[in-house]
């Protein structure tokens, strides 16, 4: 922390924000607005966010998208985001419900995120939108207007660039040789990478200019998982306009990308000599710094959920990764997504005992004393109950990553996202345990 506190008053889209510029580290809290549609105790809206927000420096609402022919910014779920009107029947008005939280938390910077792999209709439009001055201007003007109209303090560009393909790997693990599947559904290589890199810088420059003119000046850029930062991000050219970059350093291994091999999803570093060297946090941070990113603007993204795989009769008994798997784990009770469990769906079932490996309801938690790979948990298959293997973030591993940020003078930590942390205190009555663990370090 800096030795003295300096305060400045900045008008942000009609609201007065008191900015404490002594804040050395950012705690960037992403919130997927679709959590408002969840049922019962895991529904998360503005009211449920309140216990978290005193721990956040930034709140990022996801996600808006872009029109696929006119390149205007648009709501991806108008009934959720926009208020009741003749065009939106039953509108929840969640945009303004969230930005109204600034009245309670005036130092909180609230951003609207665009893309984030949530805009699934014709994702190639994110490249096409970069390619002409007209399309860039249309997007810049409409996203800035959307921010201004709804009271956001700025924009987060989680631009949907093509991702690096998963390669078939040869391993030294005996039965695993040749069993790693190729990626399914990963975007093909971009034939105009150099042009798109330059055009993205031009887009960022234009968005920043329009945001400044509309008094919504904050601009962040999120680098999504598996996007090659050297291909699309000119850090020296961008950081004149960008307040911080979020490195989404998680989901290195997922059941979608590698369905037949369960392994750590968000390792700090890899310890296996034959593993892809870039699939870890340390490598991604070092790469961005080598590309001349300002380390104080690099915010480390961590997940608040686990990636899951099915264990079967070929998975073995020890649970020690890498584990032969049979595709994504079954969907959670609340999140309803194969291959993913929210932290609140994992933590009530964790035990340290080996007896959990054959329990129908418990997972054996296995920590990582080396602090290199992360915690995992598993349950062996039994009778008609599928086995499961889970790589997940928890308060202890989140602390380790926050400590790394602090020791290396990075810009902070970003949580993806608040609604998948334990917002209701279902595990032990402690709400938002992963967020609190990060904030206790930073």
């Amino acid at each position: 922390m800096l030795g003295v506190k300096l305060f400045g008053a900045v008008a942000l889209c009609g609201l007065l924000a008191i900015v404490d510029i002594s804040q050395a580290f950012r705690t960037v809290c992403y919130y997927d607005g679709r959590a408002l549609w969840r049922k019962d105790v895991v529904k998360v809206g503005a009211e449920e966010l309140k216990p978290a927000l005193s721990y956040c420096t930034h709140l990022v609402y996801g996600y808006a998208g872009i029109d696929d022919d006119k390149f205007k910014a648009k709501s991806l779920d108008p009934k959720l985001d926009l208020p009741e009107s003749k065009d939106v029947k039953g509108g929840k008005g969640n945009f303004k419900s969230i930005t109204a939280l600034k009245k309670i938390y005036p130092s909180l910077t609230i951003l609207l995120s665009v893309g984030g792999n949530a805009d699934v209709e014709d994702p190639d439009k994110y490249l096409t939108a970069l390619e002409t001055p007209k399309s860039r201007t249309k997007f810049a003007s409409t996203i800035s207007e959307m921010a201004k109209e709804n009271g956001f303090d700025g924009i987060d560009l989680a631009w949907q660039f093509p991702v690096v393909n998963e390669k078939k790997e040869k391993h030294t693990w005996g039965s695993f040789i040749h069993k790693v599947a190729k990626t399914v559904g990963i975007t093909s290589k971009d034939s105009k990478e150099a042009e798109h890199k330059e055009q993205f810088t031009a887009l960022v420059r234009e968005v920043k200019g329009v945001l400044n003119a509309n008094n919504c000046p904050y601009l962040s850029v999120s680098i999504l998982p598996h996007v090659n930062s050297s291909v699309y991000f000119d850090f020296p050219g961008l950081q004149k306009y960008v307040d911080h970059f979020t490195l989404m350093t998680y989901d290195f291994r997922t059941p979608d990308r590698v369905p037949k091999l369960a392994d750590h999803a968000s390792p700090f570093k890899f310890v296996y000599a034959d593993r892809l060297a870039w699939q870890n946090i340390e490598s991604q941070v070092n790469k961005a710094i080598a590309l001349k990113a300002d380390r104080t603007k690099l915010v480390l993204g961590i997940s608040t959920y686990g990636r899951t795989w099915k264990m079967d009769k070929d998975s073995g008994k020890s649970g020690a990764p890498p584990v032969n798997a049979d595709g994504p784990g079954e969907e959670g009770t609340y999140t309803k997504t194969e291959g993913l469990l929210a932290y609140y769906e994992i933590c009530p079932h964790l035990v340290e005992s080996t007896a959990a490996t054959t329990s129908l309801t418990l997972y054996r938690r296995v920590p990582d004393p080396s602090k290199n790979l992360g915690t995992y948990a598993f349950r062996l298959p039994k009778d008609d109950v599928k086995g499961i293997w889970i790589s997940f973030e928890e308060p202890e591993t989140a602390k380790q990553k926050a400590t790394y940020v602090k020791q290396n003078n990075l810009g902070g930590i970003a949580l993806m996202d608040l609604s998948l942390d334990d917002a209701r205190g279902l595990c032990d009555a402690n709400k938002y345990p992963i967020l609190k663990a990060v904030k206790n370090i930073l």
Side-chain angles (χ1 to χ4, degrees):
M1 299 290 289
L2 298 180
V4 296
K5 291 189 174 182
L6 302 175
F7 294 87
V10 183
L12 297 177
C13 291
L15 293 174
L16 189 67
I18 305 300
V19 180
D20 179 357
I21 64 174
S22 72
Q23 178 64 51
F25 298 105
R26 303 166 183 86
T27 306
V28 181
C29 300
Y30 282 74
Y31 162 65
D32 188 334
R34 292 172 295 183
L36 192 65
W37 294 130
R38 296 191 188 124
K39 303 294 185 182
D40 305 322
V41 296
V42 295
K43 175 182 177 180
V44 179
E47 190 63 31
E48 291 75 29
L49 288 175
K50 288 179 181 178
L53 297 182
S54 61
Y55 299 93
C56 304
T57 60
H58 299 68
L59 179 64
V60 184
Y61 186 109
Y63 290 92
I66 55 176
D67 184 86
D68 60 359
D69 55 0
K70 297 180 181 178
F71 307 110
K72 295 180 179 179
K74 68 174 185 178
S75 165
L76 293 178
D77 189 344
K79 189 173 180 179
L80 169 69
D81 298 330
L82 305 179
E84 174 83 26
S85 70
K86 65 178 182 179
D87 298 319
V88 183
K89 301 299 182 184
K92 296 290 186 182
N94 205 29
F95 276 170
K96 289 188 176 180
S97 294
I98 296 303
T99 57
L101 291 167
K102 282 185 67 68
K103 296 175 183 177
I104 307 171
Y105 305 95
S107 63
L108 185 67
T109 298
I110 304 181
L111 308 177
L112 175 61
S113 189
V114 183
N117 289 333
D119 193 355
V120 296
E121 185 178 331
D122 186 22
D124 288 344
K125 64 190 174 186
Y126 279 82
L127 295 181
T128 308
L130 299 175
E131 292 176 351
T132 68
K134 182 179 179 180
S135 58
R136 295 195 297 268
T137 296
K138 179 60 69 175
F139 171 75
S141 62
T142 55
I143 193 60
S144 179
E145 190 61 31
M146 182 180 287
K148 181 179 179 180
E149 286 182 356
N150 291 286
F152 290 98
D153 298 327
I155 294 298
D156 172 67
L157 295 177
W159 210 254
Q160 296 183 185
F161 286 111
V163 301
V164 177
N165 287 333
E166 190 77 28
K167 295 180 180 179
K168 200 171 217 179
E169 300 173 64
K170 292 184 178 180
H171 301 282
T172 59
W173 310 317
S175 64
F176 294 106
I177 295 177
H178 304 310
K179 287 189 177 181
V180 182
K182 290 184 178 180
T183 302
V184 177
I186 300 300
T187 310
S188 59
K189 184 177 174 60
D190 177 9
S191 62
K192 298 190 288 185
E193 291 174 344
E195 294 95 324
H196 290 143
K197 181 177 186 176
E198 183 177 339
Q199 291 159 354
F200 182 67
T201 302
L203 175 73
V204 167
R205 180 172 59 246
E206 187 156 0
V207 169
K208 182 68 169 183
V210 183
L211 288 175
N212 284 341
N214 281 345
N215 290 322
C216 308
Y218 203 98
L219 179 60
S220 63
V221 167
S222 293
I223 301 171
L224 296 174
H226 299 284
V227 171
N228 189 335
S229 57
S230 63
V231 169
Y232 292 109
F233 298 93
D234 172 17
F235 287 104
L238 290 169
Q239 56 202 15
K240 294 180 286 187
Y241 314 107
V242 174
D243 293 281
H244 78 257
F245 299 91
T246 299
L247 299 177
M248 299 298 196
T249 46
Y250 52 83
D251 281 358
F252 291 108
R253 287 300 177 92
T254 72
D256 290 330
R257 289 177 66 86
V258 193
K260 297 297 184 181
L261 190 71
D263 205 351
H264 291 283
S266 306
F268 175 70
K269 63 172 68 174
F270 273 132
V271 297
Y272 309 120
D274 58 351
R275 200 72 59 86
L276 290 177
W278 60 271
Q279 291 189 338
N280 60 87
I281 290 168
E282 188 177 57
S283 173
Q284 293 300 305
V285 171
N286 289 342
K287 180 179 181 179
I289 293 172
L291 292 170
K292 302 189 184 308
D294 179 347
R295 67 170 61 235
T296 66
K297 288 189 174 186
L298 292 179
V299 174
L300 195 68
I302 64 175
S303 64
T304 56
Y305 55 83
R307 288 297 184 181
T308 72
W309 288 257
K310 290 179 185 176
M311 296 182 74
D312 60 19
K313 60 182 178 60
D314 297 321
S315 299
K317 301 292 185 182
S318 73
V323 172
N324 191 51
D326 186 26
E330 294 180 343
E331 65 181 32
T333 302
Y334 300 107
T335 48
K336 302 294 185 184
T337 303
E338 286 190 343
L340 182 146
L341 291 175
Y343 181 65
Y344 61 75
E345 293 176 306
I346 300 170
C347 59
H349 306 285
L350 295 173
V351 294
E352 307 293 329
S353 170
T354 57
T357 59
T358 56
S359 167
L360 301 185
T361 59
L362 300 176
Y363 310 136
R364 182 186 175 190
R365 174 183 175 271
V366 183
D368 174 26
S370 74
K371 301 181 180 180
N372 288 327
L373 295 171
T375 302
Y376 67 91
F378 70 102
R379 181 187 67 214
L380 297 175
K382 183 180 180 181
D383 301 327
D384 294 330
V385 177
K386 288 284 188 180
I388 190 170
W389 195 94
I390 313 167
S391 173
F392 65 101
E393 202 75 63
E394 61 177 354
E396 187 58 36
T397 56
K399 282 182 184 178
Q400 294 165 9
K401 291 170 183 177
T403 299
Y404 170 76
V405 164
K406 192 170 185 178
Q407 290 174 343
N408 289 275
N409 196 31
L410 302 181
I413 286 278
L415 277 77
M416 180 60 67
D417 72 280
L418 288 182
S419 74
L420 299 179
D421 198 351
D422 189 5
R424 303 289 188 121
L426 299 179
C427 292
D428 58 6
N430 178 31
K431 296 181 180 180
Y432 296 103
I434 296 177
L435 170 62
K436 290 177 179 176
V438 165
K439 196 62 175 179
N440 284 342
I441 300 297
L442 299 182

